[in-house]
Amino acid sequence: MQEKLNKLKDQAIRELSLVKNIKQLDDVAQKYFGRKGGDLNNILKGLKDLDPEARKEIGSLANEIKEELEAAVEAIRQTLNAKEVESKLESDWLDVTLPVDTNLGHLHPISIVQYELEDLFKGLGFKILDGPELESDYYNFEALNIPKHHPARDMQDTFYVDNSKNTDKWVMRAHTSNVQVRAMKEFGPPLRAVVPGRVFRCESTDASHDTTFDQLEGFMIDEDISIANLIAVMKVMLSAIFKRDVKVRLRPGYFPFVEPGFELDMQCLICGGKGCSVCKQVGWLEIMGCGMIHPNVLKAGGIDPEKYSGFAFGLGLTRFVMMRYGIEDIRHLNSGDLRFLKQF
Ligand code: FA5
């Protein structure tokens, strides 16, 4: 039995010396110490059949050999692990002197024009304001002189949010005009501000209509503000953005929150006024609604309409961008299509 054990030990040592990787090491360890069928374990199991004297002697030798071999396996495992790490480091090296990839993307065309407009209006003494996209029915409609159930709500139909805990309805804002009364309450007169932002409409899409688009609201409130101030600001804005003569026309338009109200159209720059799918074959595209702020809206904002007057406009920023760059379908702008976006 002693001889058998010593032979087993020599054989195990020989096999361990030939091991090249962890997998082979595990196989050898399994062969000798495996719970089921491991050679050394089988000998240890057979000890119970020996007489007590022999069991003691052979048992202590077998344990000695087992400990020795286990220590050898552990030592070889550590060496192999260290070698593996070393070779991984060699193959995974990184050249920190290579040039950095500078293709980091750029601004979306809507942001480009929005920031240009913000700079322009800052120069004219306007504040740049922000407002909530999820808005109360009050600021989106009622404060703007559009009572509940009034048919004028259909002009800016939007998405209503079910808020069963609260009796007041919430809507995705249909226009940036929701910030008018908020700003009047916060800052009071005199006030000049523009409000860029995303708005939402429940309507069918086509080349010039989307359900999510951007507007830029603007308003100026002071003593003696008139339509002449509105037209002057429009002219400055158009020539700054288009840097050339663009044909515009102002026609009467109905918005419950202005009186009088207008709509400003631009001659379509996609077709040069000949007619196309963007301008629905009429040669003109509606770019903004505007007018003199209704006295009821000034009152809702805590401003005395006897003393102050003001103009307001709501520019369709997305359509403005289409005209600036000659984009023939509004749906490209929210598509996330890199083939389109990389052109700007
Ligand atoms: C309004 O949203 C008013 N709040 C504008 C206003 C502000 C009037 C202040 C008076 C005083 P309107 O629904 O017409 O108005 O939208 C304004 C502009 O947004 C339009 O002239 C158009 O350029 C753009 N627009 C409207 N609907 C869409 C749409 N579905 N997709 C893309 N652009 C749109």
Side-chain angles (χ1 to χ4, degrees):
M1 188 64 116
Q2 271 166 327
E3 203 185 319
K4 197 174 166 194
L5 271 173
N6 283 327
K7 261 194 185 161
L8 199 75
K9 177 183 158 189
D10 293 345
Q11 193 186 331
I13 287 178
R14 216 174 309 119
E15 285 181 31
L16 284 173
S17 70
L18 298 174
V19 152
K20 295 221 163 35
N21 55 41
I22 298 283
K23 162 94 178 60
Q24 289 176 359
L25 180 69
D26 286 341
D27 288 347
V28 176
Q30 181 67 22
K31 183 174 169 200
Y32 291 95
F33 318 121
R35 274 171 191 262
K36 281 186 191 154
D39 292 351
L40 202 58
N41 272 354
N42 282 344
I43 291 176
L44 288 171
K45 270 185 209 156
L47 288 178
K48 62 180 186 325
D49 303 327
L50 300 177
D51 60 67
E53 194 61 25
R55 194 187 308 155
K56 200 171 164 203
E57 208 176 308
I58 304 291
S60 88
L61 177 63
N63 274 329
E64 219 174 85
I65 292 176
K66 191 178 177 205
E67 274 169 25
E68 210 178 305
L69 289 178
E70 276 176 344
V73 167
E74 213 29 59
I76 295 171
R77 188 182 297 284
Q78 280 184 16
T79 315
L80 288 173
N81 277 339
K83 270 193 190 156
E84 246 171 53
V85 170
E86 217 171 90
S87 76
K88 212 165 186 287
L89 280 178
E90 257 172 42
S91 62
D92 282 1
W93 70 282
L94 179 74
D95 184 353
V96 291
T97 63
L98 280 175
V100 177
D101 181 2
T102 50
N103 188 14
L104 297 177
H106 56 78
L107 290 177
H108 189 281
I110 293 180
S111 305
I112 296 174
V113 176
Q114 178 189 321
Y115 296 158
E116 274 181 37
L117 285 166
E118 285 182 11
D119 281 348
L120 170 78
F121 279 103
K122 260 189 255 168
L124 295 173
F126 284 62
K127 291 182 198 305
I128 315 292
L129 301 180
D130 204 0
E133 288 180 356
L134 180 61
E135 181 57 287
S136 65
D137 184 279
Y138 176 75
Y139 284 115
N140 194 73
F141 291 121
E142 279 193 59
L144 294 173
N145 203 28
I146 314 176
K148 282 197 167 60
H149 313 299
H150 195 283
R153 286 191 173 211
D154 283 352
M155 296 196 310
Q156 281 109 20
D157 192 18
T158 180
F159 304 100
Y160 286 78
V161 177
D162 178 19
N163 181 17
S164 39
K165 286 199 193 112
N166 198 323
T167 46
D168 196 11
K169 273 190 185 156
W170 290 79
V171 300
M172 296 307 290
R173 69 170 170 190
H175 46 186
T176 41
S177 302
N178 68 321
V179 183
Q180 283 190 21
V181 169
R182 288 178 173 278
M184 289 177 205
K185 281 185 179 170
E186 186 166 346
F187 301 106
L191 176 61
R192 297 175 196 191
V194 287
V195 188
R198 209 153 46 144
V199 302
F200 308 86
R201 295 279 168 99
C202 179
E203 63 181 322
S204 314
T205 62
D206 60 30
S208 55
H209 292 82
D210 210 341
T211 53
T212 302
F213 58 99
D214 283 68
Q215 287 189 339
L216 180 115
E217 190 82 5
F219 36 87
M220 182 170 182
I221 302 167
D222 207 335
E223 293 177 33
D224 298 327
I225 295 293
S226 72
I227 294 171
N229 299 102
L230 168 66
I231 292 172
V233 170
M234 295 299 103
K235 277 187 177 164
V236 171
M237 179 172 82
L238 290 168
S239 61
I241 296 297
F242 289 96
K243 297 182 179 72
R244 61 180 155 136
D245 253 0
V246 287
K247 286 204 177 122
V248 293
R249 69 180 188 189
L250 201 61
R251 57 189 167 83
Y254 172 64
F255 301 96
F257 33 97
V258 287
E259 180 58 38
F262 308 98
E263 286 183 59
L264 188 124
D265 300 335
M266 265 180 79
Q267 193 172 67
C268 180
L269 296 182
I270 309 289
C271 60
K274 289 194 199 86
C276 66
S277 59
V278 172
C279 60
K280 299 218 170 83
Q281 313 303 333
V282 294
W284 294 89
L285 187 67
E286 187 196 317
I287 286 292
M288 72 170 79
C290 52
M292 299 304 294
I293 301 174
H294 196 286
N296 286 351
V297 178
L298 289 173
K299 275 190 217 154
I303 295 176
D304 180 1
E306 297 294 329
K307 186 167 177 202
Y308 292 99
S309 55
F311 71 73
F313 64 87
L315 169 72
L317 183 58
T318 311
R319 283 196 191 164
F320 207 62
V321 171
M322 290 172 74
M323 293 296 106
R324 157 89 170 252
Y325 293 112
I327 299 166
E328 84 307 343
D329 196 313
I330 195 169
R331 290 164 290 198
H332 288 310
L333 286 152
N334 276 344
S335 68
D337 187 339
L338 290 180
R339 289 168 304 176
F340 167 75
L341 292 172
K342 277 185 175 163
Q343 298 173 65
F344 298 93

